[in-house]
Amino acid sequence: MTATITAFEDSPDQGQGQARDMRVRWALEEVGQPYDVRFVSFGDLKEAAHLALQPFGQIPTYQAGDLALFESGAIVLHIAERRRGLLPDDADARARAVMWIFAALNTVEPPIIELEQSFYAEGDKPWHRERVPLLQDHILARLDNLSCYLGGADWLDGEFSVGDLMMVMVLRRLHGTGTLENYQNLSAYVARGEARPAYKRAFAAQSAVYTSKAPSR
Ligand SMILES: N[C@@H](CCC(=O)N[C@@H](CS)C(=O)NCC(=O)O)C(=O)O
């Protein structure tokens, strides 16, 4: 059964892998699950039809048969659970892979998003300039710990897993900020993720939307 996901018709980053459908596309490519994409505008996101699928008016969503899901973490975990390739066989190692999804989404991503959003939401406030270093420090504290934990390993827990997929996607949000470059092992970790054939296929499919070379599926 072919799943259908939603993605931006016109993404703010023009298909450079930051919109969260990229996480889902990558997971689908890793497990070899075919998918269709339904493109939505920012207006569509707030319409009743989309809100019935995603109560917060966001992308991505995932539909396959009777199942409809939202939240990129839940979608990616579902994909990983249904097909081989993203979760280890060993039960304890599977639990740890899931733990890393939560760590990426609950511990590492929030300060990154807070800084990003501060520019849109508070950029014009007189105190914003003073707040930025504080928000940057929150990110650096997480990166220090993560970098220390990863050390010289290729992946967070042995073989590549869905936990790495999510962590790489979260760290990629720092592209262009100069932050990741201070951590040689984290930069190499992200590059390792981006070098995976499944990542490349997902990225090409997302960016092709903007270069009008989208392969028909
Ligand atoms: N926690 C959600 C966040 C989804 C999210 O923020 N999606 C963004 C695009 S990457 C969006 O739809 N933004 C439009 C909006 O919030 O109005 C997830 O991981 O799926």
Side-chain angles (χ1 to χ4, degrees), residues 69-100:
L69 293 174
F70 65 93
E71 282 297 332
S72 59
I75 297 170
V76 163
L77 178 56
H78 169 74
I79 293 165
E81 280 176 334
R82 291 297 162 100
R83 293 188 179 219
R84 294 184 67 82
L86 280 171
L87 281 170
D89 291 335
D90 176 72
D92 287 355
R94 286 170 85 90
R96 289 194 300 273
V98 173
M99 170 186 76
W100 280 113

mmCIF file of all heavy atoms in Angstrom, residues 69-100:
data_model
loop_
_atom_site.group_PDB
_atom_site.id
_atom_site.type_symbol
_atom_site.label_atom_id
_atom_site.label_comp_id
_atom_site.label_asym_id
_atom_site.label_seq_id
_atom_site.Cartn_x
_atom_site.Cartn_y
_atom_site.Cartn_z
ATOM 1 N N LEU A 69 -1.611 9.723 10.529
ATOM 2 C CA LEU A 69 -0.724 10.152 11.612
ATOM 3 C C LEU A 69 -0.220 11.565 11.368
ATOM 4 O O LEU A 69 -0.064 11.978 10.215
ATOM 5 C CB LEU A 69 0.498 9.229 11.697
ATOM 6 C CG LEU A 69 0.297 7.771 12.116
ATOM 7 C CD1 LEU A 69 1.618 7.012 11.983
ATOM 8 C CD2 LEU A 69 -0.220 7.695 13.547
ATOM 9 N N PHE A 70 0.086 12.254 12.445
ATOM 10 C CA PHE A 70 0.832 13.507 12.368
ATOM 11 C C PHE A 70 1.936 13.427 13.412
ATOM 12 O O PHE A 70 2.032 12.439 14.143
ATOM 13 C CB PHE A 70 -0.074 14.729 12.565
ATOM 14 C CG PHE A 70 -0.701 14.836 13.935
ATOM 15 C CD1 PHE A 70 -0.094 15.576 14.936
ATOM 16 C CD2 PHE A 70 -1.900 14.196 14.217
ATOM 17 C CE1 PHE A 70 -0.684 15.690 16.193
ATOM 18 C CE2 PHE A 70 -2.493 14.307 15.467
ATOM 19 C CZ PHE A 70 -1.886 15.051 16.460
ATOM 20 N N GLU A 71 2.786 14.437 13.486
ATOM 21 C CA GLU A 71 4.010 14.503 14.300
ATOM 22 C C GLU A 71 5.109 13.673 13.622
ATOM 23 O O GLU A 71 5.019 12.433 13.546
ATOM 24 C CB GLU A 71 3.815 14.024 15.748
ATOM 25 C CG GLU A 71 3.142 15.053 16.646
ATOM 26 C CD GLU A 71 3.943 16.343 16.827
ATOM 27 O OE1 GLU A 71 5.184 16.324 16.731
ATOM 28 O OE2 GLU A 71 3.312 17.383 17.058
ATOM 29 N N SER A 72 6.142 14.363 13.201
ATOM 30 C CA SER A 72 7.205 13.688 12.451
ATOM 31 C C SER A 72 7.825 12.540 13.255
ATOM 32 O O SER A 72 8.161 11.494 12.683
ATOM 33 C CB SER A 72 8.273 14.690 12.018
ATOM 34 O OG SER A 72 8.849 15.348 13.131
ATOM 35 N N GLY A 73 7.956 12.706 14.572
ATOM 36 C CA GLY A 73 8.543 11.631 15.379
ATOM 37 C C GLY A 73 7.689 10.379 15.361
ATOM 38 O O GLY A 73 8.195 9.256 15.201
ATOM 39 N N ALA A 74 6.380 10.573 15.512
ATOM 40 C CA ALA A 74 5.467 9.424 15.523
ATOM 41 C C ALA A 74 5.437 8.743 14.154
ATOM 42 O O ALA A 74 5.389 7.511 14.053
ATOM 43 C CB ALA A 74 4.065 9.881 15.918
ATOM 44 N N ILE A 75 5.483 9.550 13.115
ATOM 45 C CA ILE A 75 5.433 8.989 11.752
ATOM 46 C C ILE A 75 6.691 8.174 11.471
ATOM 47 O O ILE A 75 6.633 7.031 10.995
ATOM 48 C CB ILE A 75 5.279 10.124 10.710
ATOM 49 C CG1 ILE A 75 3.958 10.874 10.919
ATOM 50 C CG2 ILE A 75 5.372 9.560 9.300
ATOM 51 C CD1 ILE A 75 3.822 12.158 10.095
ATOM 52 N N VAL A 76 7.832 8.769 11.795
ATOM 53 C CA VAL A 76 9.100 8.093 11.522
ATOM 54 C C VAL A 76 9.206 6.799 12.345
ATOM 55 O O VAL A 76 9.656 5.762 11.847
ATOM 56 C CB VAL A 76 10.264 9.087 11.807
ATOM 57 C CG1 VAL A 76 11.584 8.372 11.951
ATOM 58 C CG2 VAL A 76 10.336 10.123 10.693
ATOM 59 N N LEU A 77 8.749 6.848 13.591
ATOM 60 C CA LEU A 77 8.785 5.639 14.420
ATOM 61 C C LEU A 77 7.872 4.559 13.837
ATOM 62 O O LEU A 77 8.232 3.382 13.770
ATOM 63 C CB LEU A 77 8.377 5.973 15.858
ATOM 64 C CG LEU A 77 8.319 4.799 16.834
ATOM 65 C CD1 LEU A 77 9.663 4.052 16.894
ATOM 66 C CD2 LEU A 77 7.919 5.268 18.230
ATOM 67 N N HIS A 78 6.699 4.964 13.386
ATOM 68 C CA HIS A 78 5.769 4.013 12.775
ATOM 69 C C HIS A 78 6.416 3.345 11.554
ATOM 70 O O HIS A 78 6.351 2.114 11.400
ATOM 71 C CB HIS A 78 4.486 4.736 12.367
ATOM 72 C CG HIS A 78 3.583 3.911 11.514
ATOM 73 N ND1 HIS A 78 2.827 2.869 12.012
ATOM 74 C CD2 HIS A 78 3.343 3.935 10.172
ATOM 75 C CE1 HIS A 78 2.152 2.306 11.032
ATOM 76 N NE2 HIS A 78 2.446 2.928 9.906
ATOM 77 N N ILE A 79 7.026 4.148 10.712
ATOM 78 C CA ILE A 79 7.682 3.601 9.505
ATOM 79 C C ILE A 79 8.767 2.603 9.914
ATOM 80 O O ILE A 79 8.893 1.516 9.347
ATOM 81 C CB ILE A 79 8.279 4.764 8.665
ATOM 82 C CG1 ILE A 79 7.146 5.619 8.099
ATOM 83 C CG2 ILE A 79 9.188 4.231 7.562
ATOM 84 C CD1 ILE A 79 7.606 6.980 7.568
ATOM 85 N N ALA A 80 9.545 2.986 10.930
ATOM 86 C CA ALA A 80 10.651 2.120 11.381
ATOM 87 C C ALA A 80 10.131 0.808 11.964
ATOM 88 O O ALA A 80 10.776 -0.236 11.840
ATOM 89 C CB ALA A 80 11.487 2.865 12.418
ATOM 90 N N GLU A 81 8.976 0.867 12.600
ATOM 91 C CA GLU A 81 8.430 -0.344 13.238
ATOM 92 C C GLU A 81 7.827 -1.309 12.218
ATOM 93 O O GLU A 81 7.749 -2.505 12.464
ATOM 94 C CB GLU A 81 7.355 0.052 14.265
ATOM 95 C CG GLU A 81 7.970 0.524 15.571
ATOM 96 C CD GLU A 81 6.925 1.002 16.569
ATOM 97 O OE1 GLU A 81 5.839 1.438 16.139
ATOM 98 O OE2 GLU A 81 7.213 0.947 17.772
ATOM 99 N N ARG A 82 7.361 -0.761 11.109
ATOM 100 C CA ARG A 82 6.667 -1.600 10.131
ATOM 101 C C ARG A 82 7.600 -2.318 9.155
ATOM 102 O O ARG A 82 7.236 -3.328 8.582
ATOM 103 C CB ARG A 82 5.662 -0.760 9.327
ATOM 104 C CG ARG A 82 4.474 -0.284 10.131
ATOM 105 C CD ARG A 82 3.675 -1.493 10.624
ATOM 106 N NE ARG A 82 2.788 -1.142 11.724
ATOM 107 C CZ ARG A 82 1.483 -0.912 11.586
ATOM 108 N NH1 ARG A 82 0.922 -0.999 10.402
ATOM 109 N NH2 ARG A 82 0.759 -0.606 12.631
ATOM 110 N N ARG A 83 8.770 -1.754 8.903
ATOM 111 C CA ARG A 83 9.682 -2.383 7.939
ATOM 112 C C ARG A 83 11.097 -2.414 8.491
ATOM 113 O O ARG A 83 11.470 -1.564 9.288
ATOM 114 C CB ARG A 83 9.687 -1.598 6.625
ATOM 115 C CG ARG A 83 8.368 -1.675 5.888
ATOM 116 C CD ARG A 83 8.516 -1.041 4.541
ATOM 117 N NE ARG A 83 7.274 -1.110 3.806
ATOM 118 C CZ ARG A 83 7.184 -1.342 2.509
ATOM 119 N NH1 ARG A 83 8.283 -1.518 1.798
ATOM 120 N NH2 ARG A 83 6.021 -1.389 1.906
ATOM 121 N N ARG A 84 11.866 -3.376 8.022
ATOM 122 C CA ARG A 84 13.241 -3.505 8.494
ATOM 123 C C ARG A 84 14.115 -2.377 7.964
ATOM 124 O O ARG A 84 13.851 -1.840 6.896
ATOM 125 C CB ARG A 84 13.826 -4.840 8.020
ATOM 126 C CG ARG A 84 13.159 -6.045 8.634
ATOM 127 C CD ARG A 84 13.869 -7.308 8.180
ATOM 128 N NE ARG A 84 15.231 -7.372 8.725
ATOM 129 C CZ ARG A 84 15.518 -7.793 9.938
ATOM 130 N NH1 ARG A 84 14.549 -8.196 10.746
ATOM 131 N NH2 ARG A 84 16.755 -7.835 10.356
ATOM 132 N N GLY A 85 15.143 -2.054 8.724
ATOM 133 C CA GLY A 85 16.138 -1.115 8.221
ATOM 134 C C GLY A 85 16.470 0.033 9.159
ATOM 135 O O GLY A 85 17.539 0.622 9.049
ATOM 136 N N LEU A 86 15.563 0.357 10.076
ATOM 137 C CA LEU A 86 15.822 1.516 10.933
ATOM 138 C C LEU A 86 15.847 1.188 12.419
ATOM 139 O O LEU A 86 16.172 2.049 13.231
ATOM 140 C CB LEU A 86 14.768 2.602 10.670
ATOM 141 C CG LEU A 86 15.017 3.464 9.428
ATOM 142 C CD1 LEU A 86 13.809 4.346 9.126
ATOM 143 C CD2 LEU A 86 16.265 4.319 9.592
ATOM 144 N N LEU A 87 15.450 -0.029 12.763
ATOM 145 C CA LEU A 87 15.471 -0.439 14.171
ATOM 146 C C LEU A 87 16.243 -1.746 14.301
ATOM 147 O O LEU A 87 16.043 -2.670 13.495
ATOM 148 C CB LEU A 87 14.043 -0.634 14.694
ATOM 149 C CG LEU A 87 13.257 0.618 15.069
ATOM 150 C CD1 LEU A 87 11.791 0.281 15.327
ATOM 151 C CD2 LEU A 87 13.860 1.317 16.290
ATOM 152 N N PRO A 88 17.092 -1.840 15.304
ATOM 153 C CA PRO A 88 17.843 -3.086 15.502
ATOM 154 C C PRO A 88 16.919 -4.238 15.917
ATOM 155 O O PRO A 88 15.813 -3.991 16.412
ATOM 156 C CB PRO A 88 18.827 -2.761 16.621
ATOM 157 C CG PRO A 88 18.554 -1.377 17.061
ATOM 158 C CD PRO A 88 17.409 -0.820 16.301
ATOM 159 N N ASP A 89 17.397 -5.474 15.751
ATOM 160 C CA ASP A 89 16.601 -6.641 16.157
ATOM 161 C C ASP A 89 16.538 -6.788 17.675
ATOM 162 O O ASP A 89 15.518 -7.154 18.237
ATOM 163 C CB ASP A 89 17.207 -7.928 15.571
ATOM 164 C CG ASP A 89 17.023 -7.967 14.057
ATOM 165 O OD1 ASP A 89 16.067 -7.313 13.561
ATOM 166 O OD2 ASP A 89 17.835 -8.632 13.379
ATOM 167 N N ASP A 90 17.651 -6.503 18.328
ATOM 168 C CA ASP A 90 17.724 -6.662 19.780
ATOM 169 C C ASP A 90 16.769 -5.683 20.481
ATOM 170 O O ASP A 90 16.761 -4.481 20.191
ATOM 171 C CB ASP A 90 19.172 -6.386 20.230
ATOM 172 C CG ASP A 90 19.307 -6.426 21.730
ATOM 173 O OD1 ASP A 90 19.238 -7.526 22.299
ATOM 174 O OD2 ASP A 90 19.457 -5.337 22.344
ATOM 175 N N ALA A 91 15.956 -6.219 21.419
ATOM 176 C CA ALA A 91 14.905 -5.402 22.053
ATOM 177 C C ALA A 91 15.477 -4.207 22.816
ATOM 178 O O ALA A 91 14.917 -3.101 22.772
ATOM 179 C CB ALA A 91 14.060 -6.276 22.979
ATOM 180 N N ASP A 92 16.590 -4.417 23.523
ATOM 181 C CA ASP A 92 17.177 -3.309 24.287
ATOM 182 C C ASP A 92 17.722 -2.230 23.341
ATOM 183 O O ASP A 92 17.570 -1.026 23.596
ATOM 184 C CB ASP A 92 18.304 -3.812 25.195
ATOM 185 C CG ASP A 92 17.757 -4.603 26.383
ATOM 186 O OD1 ASP A 92 16.514 -4.666 26.538
ATOM 187 O OD2 ASP A 92 18.566 -5.170 27.141
ATOM 188 N N ALA A 93 18.346 -2.685 22.272
ATOM 189 C CA ALA A 93 18.888 -1.717 21.299
ATOM 190 C C ALA A 93 17.753 -0.949 20.618
ATOM 191 O O ALA A 93 17.886 0.245 20.330
ATOM 192 C CB ALA A 93 19.756 -2.437 20.266
ATOM 193 N N ARG A 94 16.619 -1.613 20.397
ATOM 194 C CA ARG A 94 15.445 -0.921 19.818
ATOM 195 C C ARG A 94 14.970 0.173 20.770
ATOM 196 O O ARG A 94 14.664 1.290 20.359
ATOM 197 C CB ARG A 94 14.286 -1.903 19.595
ATOM 198 C CG ARG A 94 14.471 -2.832 18.444
ATOM 199 C CD ARG A 94 13.393 -3.920 18.458
ATOM 200 N NE ARG A 94 12.167 -3.511 17.807
ATOM 201 C CZ ARG A 94 11.934 -3.698 16.516
ATOM 202 N NH1 ARG A 94 12.842 -4.255 15.743
ATOM 203 N NH2 ARG A 94 10.795 -3.314 15.980
ATOM 204 N N ALA A 95 14.911 -0.183 22.048
ATOM 205 C CA ALA A 95 14.463 0.808 23.038
ATOM 206 C C ALA A 95 15.403 2.013 23.051
ATOM 207 O O ALA A 95 14.956 3.160 23.175
ATOM 208 C CB ALA A 95 14.388 0.159 24.425
ATOM 209 N N ARG A 96 16.682 1.746 22.914
ATOM 210 C CA ARG A 96 17.633 2.865 22.916
ATOM 211 C C ARG A 96 17.503 3.718 21.653
ATOM 212 O O ARG A 96 17.641 4.939 21.698
ATOM 213 C CB ARG A 96 19.066 2.360 23.100
ATOM 214 C CG ARG A 96 19.359 1.833 24.503
ATOM 215 C CD ARG A 96 20.853 1.663 24.740
ATOM 216 N NE ARG A 96 21.462 0.728 23.802
ATOM 217 C CZ ARG A 96 21.529 -0.605 23.983
ATOM 218 N NH1 ARG A 96 21.048 -1.158 25.086
ATOM 219 N NH2 ARG A 96 22.100 -1.379 23.077
ATOM 220 N N ALA A 97 17.200 3.065 20.532
ATOM 221 C CA ALA A 97 17.006 3.834 19.288
ATOM 222 C C ALA A 97 15.809 4.779 19.447
ATOM 223 O O ALA A 97 15.862 5.951 19.051
ATOM 224 C CB ALA A 97 16.792 2.885 18.102
ATOM 225 N N VAL A 98 14.741 4.279 20.072
ATOM 226 C CA VAL A 98 13.554 5.110 20.310
ATOM 227 C C VAL A 98 13.907 6.243 21.284
ATOM 228 O O VAL A 98 13.490 7.400 21.110
ATOM 229 C CB VAL A 98 12.386 4.249 20.847
ATOM 230 C CG1 VAL A 98 11.207 5.121 21.255
ATOM 231 C CG2 VAL A 98 11.969 3.213 19.802
ATOM 232 N N MET A 99 14.705 5.906 22.294
ATOM 233 C CA MET A 99 15.159 6.926 23.250
ATOM 234 C C MET A 99 15.855 8.084 22.522
ATOM 235 O O MET A 99 15.624 9.261 22.848
ATOM 236 C CB MET A 99 16.134 6.264 24.235
ATOM 237 C CG MET A 99 16.880 7.210 25.154
ATOM 238 S SD MET A 99 18.113 6.288 26.131
ATOM 239 C CE MET A 99 19.413 5.998 24.938
ATOM 240 N N TRP A 100 16.652 7.764 21.506
ATOM 241 C CA TRP A 100 17.378 8.817 20.794
ATOM 242 C C TRP A 100 16.449 9.676 19.941
ATOM 243 O O TRP A 100 16.726 10.849 19.689
ATOM 244 C CB TRP A 100 18.533 8.229 19.975
ATOM 245 C CG TRP A 100 19.731 7.948 20.853
ATOM 246 C CD1 TRP A 100 20.257 6.728 21.182
ATOM 247 C CD2 TRP A 100 20.536 8.919 21.540
ATOM 248 N NE1 TRP A 100 21.330 6.878 22.022
ATOM 249 C CE2 TRP A 100 21.530 8.215 22.253
ATOM 250 C CE3 TRP A 100 20.511 10.304 21.617
ATOM 251 C CZ2 TRP A 100 22.486 8.865 23.039
ATOM 252 C CZ3 TRP A 100 21.465 10.957 22.395
ATOM 253 C CH2 TRP A 100 22.438 10.239 23.096
#
